[in-house]
Amino acid sequence: MSGAIYPWPTIDPTQGNVTLRQFCSADAEMTRELSCDPYISAIGSLPPNATASQAQLWVERQQNRYSEGTGFSFAVIDDAQGRCAGFVGLWIRELSEGRSKVGYGIAPSFRGRRLAADAVRAVTAFGWTIPTLHRTELYIEPWNTASIKTAKHAGYIREGLLRSHQEISGERRDMDRAGDFREPRLGRTSRSLGSQRHAAATGPCRNLSRPIGECSTSPPQTWWSGSRYVAGQSHHRALLHRSSQFHSNSGPLMFGFNFAFVGLLGFIMLMVGLHGLISRGDPQ
């Protein structure tokens, strides 16, 4: 089925401190380390504390994602050590609609160096070389602030909370959704660089969209960033614009109304005063 999707990249995608390449059998070592994180088994097909044979089978499944038409599953190579540090995937089941999902995971010993963010930026930049792809998405549980930071550093924008979006470990979970999209009107083929977004600012496979194990419990509302927040902001600006137009166009009318009101108030005060004088002059 590989002929039905975009060709595998002839040059390995790179970004920051990582390079993305196809999986090989040697990557089973990283896979066993990754399986020590219990969250992996909850959201993916890798068994907890995988044996060597189980890890090898997982690697083979990643190698088959492309031929199955599921998408592109890359091994993430830490350029500083030359070792496999994790995985990142561009899942294109919805490519006919112009959409894809990004999933990733970094082995525990490689965390804390923003390798996940570099991997997401690299796979997103590769995604924009697919002519029919216009949007990429990440799905992240709201408590996972480490992954929220990864999405933010990769240039993704939070778009909202999806209540009871999917089942994990037998229970329905909420998911924050973050998105990125190409903007041909700006002449750019990638919007994955967060610095480009902040410069323009005025004022989230099976949803494996978390750097596994990098978790905390801070409120998720702190990760709004970038030059566009949601449609509500532009709606708010439109209301302000309409309000300013009303005030500017209704100036003469408001002046006339105010003048008539002041005149009426003065007349009432005059009549009250006269009534007081007359009352005090009557016999008691």
Side-chain angles (χ1 to χ4, degrees), residues 43-78:
I43 61 175
S45 63
L46 181 62
N49 301 310
T51 64
S53 60
Q54 289 173 327
Q56 190 62 51
L57 288 174
W58 185 86
V59 168
E60 292 175 3
R61 285 195 292 273
Q62 305 315 303
Q63 293 172 327
N64 293 332
R65 300 299 187 198
Y66 178 73
S67 61
E68 295 168 350
T70 304
F72 302 81
S73 185
F74 294 97
V76 177
I77 306 304
D78 175 13

Side-chain angles (χ1 to χ4, degrees), residues 106-116 150 211 214:
I106 300 296
S109 63
F110 293 90
R111 294 171 184 167
R113 297 165 48 208
R114 295 190 180 178
L115 298 182
T150 292
E214 299 186 15

Side-chain angles (χ1 to χ4, degrees), residues 36-252:
C36 295
D37 190 319
Y39 196 52
I40 276 285
S41 60
I43 61 175
S45 63
L46 181 62
N49 301 310
T51 64
S53 60
Q54 289 173 327
Q56 190 62 51
L57 288 174
W58 185 86
V59 168
E60 292 175 3
R61 285 195 292 273
Q62 305 315 303
Q63 293 172 327
N64 293 332
R65 300 299 187 198
Y66 178 73
S67 61
E68 295 168 350
T70 304
F72 302 81
S73 185
F74 294 97
V76 177
I77 306 304
D78 175 13
D79 290 340
Q81 301 185 30
R83 297 170 54 203
C84 182
F87 70 91
V88 65
L90 183 72
W91 313 121
I92 57 173
R93 294 187 182 95
E94 296 180 310
L95 185 58
S96 62
E97 301 296 329
R99 296 190 299 266
S100 71
K101 295 179 182 179
V102 173
Y104 54 90
I106 300 296
S109 63
F110 293 90
R111 294 171 184 167
R113 297 165 48 208
R114 295 190 180 178
L115 298 182
D118 287 345
V120 173
R121 292 169 66 188
V123 80
T124 303
F126 163 67
W128 301 144
T129 68
I130 302 177
T132 57
L133 181 62
H134 299 277
R135 172 180 173 81
T136 58
E137 297 175 344
L138 293 170
Y139 291 83
I140 307 172
E141 290 198 68
W143 55 263
N144 195 344
T145 54
S147 195
I148 288 171
K149 291 179 180 179
T150 292
K152 180 178 178 180
H153 291 313
Y156 279 69
I157 301 298
R158 181 183 186 270
E159 297 175 329
L161 179 66
L162 304 179
R163 295 291 187 181
S164 189
H165 182 260
Q166 70 185 81
E167 183 175 314
I168 298 177
S169 298
E171 64 178 81
R172 302 298 302 182
R173 304 286 183 93
D174 296 344
M175 287 287 171
D176 271 319
R177 185 180 69 187
D180 192 12
F181 59 90
R182 69 168 81 235
E183 284 186 321
R185 67 183 181 276
L186 298 180
R188 298 213 308 258
T189 58
S190 175
R191 303 189 73 260
S192 62
L193 300 181
S195 59
Q196 294 175 338
R197 295 238 175 108
H198 291 292
T202 57
C205 185
R206 301 173 181 80
N207 294 318
L208 297 178
S209 52
R210 278 76 55 184
I212 308 305
E214 299 186 15
C215 311
S216 63
T217 56
S218 301
Q221 292 81 2
T222 59
W223 70 296
W224 292 88
S225 65
S227 59
R228 49 187 164 82
Y229 298 154
V230 288
Q233 183 181 16
S234 58
H235 177 66
H236 176 66
R237 290 177 176 173
L239 291 177
L240 291 178
H241 178 65
R242 293 173 185 172
S243 177
S244 64
Q245 285 184 325
F246 172 79
H247 287 295
S248 62
N249 295 335
S250 59

